[in-house]
Amino acid sequence: MTDTTTAVTRKENAPTKERKPRGEYAKSKETRTAILDAALEVFAQSGYRAGSLREVAERVGMSEAGLLHHFRSKSALLLALLDHRDDLSRSRVDFDMPDGVEALRALAELARFNADNPGIVELYCVLSAEATSPDHPAHEYFINRYEYVRSSVRGSFERAAAAGRLIDGVDPARAAVATIALMDGLQVQWLLDRTSTDMAEAMHECFRSLIRGYDLVGLENVLDVLDANSAATAGGPAVAASGTPRHSAGEATEDGA
């Protein structure tokens, strides 16, 4: 006869695997986000070297040991913060889109987003300067980041050139380097005096000098004029860029409108 009592007792007394409460993961994620936000403020204001983990921890109401539970070291916190910044940028600029001009336009608008988030601009300017030192934990990060951005912006200019949109004589590689230099320089001027420049508009103005019909509305107007001139030369009705015939104010359409 089988001893079912022993089997049941053994099953009831067997250790069960503890399941992490669902809310605990969400709480941990919120805590990490709060730490990153605090670190952004501290490192932007004091720099990475001067900014301390204790100050970051105090801003989120926890101990330094508690902070290290989420980020094992100060350098790990810094790299996570830089990754967080890059995620924000990538969500607004898609360098892989086929239309290179649209990618550049999005890059200019990123400057507007950054202007609404001064901590991000301060962090980037302070850390990029500090990271020129080879022993800085973000040194390799910034080397790789500049290489990636140069390549991405160059690709956008190359696609614009392939579409016949790039002004004659503009070299995509040199234009990419100049674009990044402009962005970095604008950020420094803006941080020193917020009224000195509109970073986004300055970027748009630069691209207007490099790309034909950079402004979509301006390009449509040019196409309308060209279509109208072609139609007038041919003796037919003016045709808009959309392909719809244009009618004079007093001319009736077929449906009487």
Side-chain angles (χ1 to χ4, degrees):
M1 185 174 178
T2 306
D3 186 359
T4 55
T5 302
T6 303
V8 170
T9 302
R10 190 181 301 120
K11 182 178 180 181
E12 289 178 348
N13 294 337
T16 57
K17 186 177 181 182
E18 250 183 77
R19 291 188 177 181
K20 199 173 186 181
R22 288 183 178 180
E24 189 174 334
Y25 173 78
K27 185 177 180 181
S28 177
K29 186 176 180 180
E30 289 177 3
T31 301
R32 285 176 61 89
T33 300
I35 293 172
L36 289 173
D37 289 339
L40 188 154
E41 295 176 358
V42 171
F43 293 158
Q45 293 169 4
S46 306
Y48 170 77
R49 297 187 189 281
S52 68
L53 288 181
R54 178 175 298 178
E55 186 177 359
V56 174
E58 287 175 352
R59 294 201 181 198
V60 292
M62 64 170 52
S63 66
E64 187 173 340
L67 186 152
L68 291 172
H69 172 72
H70 295 276
F71 299 96
R72 67 181 183 278
S73 66
K74 185 179 179 182
S75 59
L77 174 59
L78 173 65
L79 294 178
L81 181 57
L82 291 171
D83 286 341
H84 177 60
R85 178 191 182 278
D86 285 344
D87 287 341
L88 290 175
S89 297
R90 281 191 290 266
S91 69
R92 294 180 173 274
V93 184
D94 180 9
F95 282 119
D96 293 327
M97 66 174 65
D99 190 335
V101 178
E102 281 298 315
L104 294 172
R105 192 176 288 112
L107 181 63
E109 283 302 307
L110 177 63
R112 196 181 309 281
F113 169 78
N114 288 341
D116 291 333
N117 297 272
I120 293 177
V121 182
E122 292 173 0
L123 174 74
Y124 178 83
C125 288
V126 171
L127 291 182
S128 60
E130 286 187 343
T132 56
S133 174
D135 65 344
H136 194 281
H139 182 71
E140 288 297 322
Y141 164 84
F142 276 100
I143 288 177
N144 294 332
R145 186 178 188 282
Y146 270 108
E147 183 178 349
Y148 164 76
V149 176
R150 277 195 301 270
S151 175
S152 298
V153 176
R154 184 186 69 238
S156 297
F157 277 116
E158 288 173 345
R159 291 194 295 279
R165 302 283 300 278
L166 206 59
I167 298 295
D168 294 341
V170 175
D171 178 73
R174 289 197 297 270
V177 172
T179 295
I180 297 168
L182 176 61
M183 290 191 74
D184 288 354
L186 285 170
Q187 289 183 151
V188 173
Q189 293 182 61
W190 182 79
L191 285 173
L192 292 171
D193 179 2
R194 305 292 170 87
T195 65
S196 64
T197 183
D198 183 321
M199 294 187 289
E201 285 306 314
M203 292 295 299
H204 285 307
E205 187 62 31
C206 172
F207 291 147
R208 288 186 189 103
S209 69
L210 301 174
I211 298 170
R212 293 186 180 91
Y214 174 73
D215 293 312
L216 182 60
V217 174
L219 177 60
E220 288 178 341
N221 290 339
V222 169
L223 292 175
D224 283 352
V225 171
L226 291 175
D227 286 339
N229 290 340
S230 297
T233 301
V239 179
S242 62
T244 303
R246 293 185 181 278
H247 302 277
S248 63
E251 183 181 354
T253 57
E254 291 182 358
D255 59 5

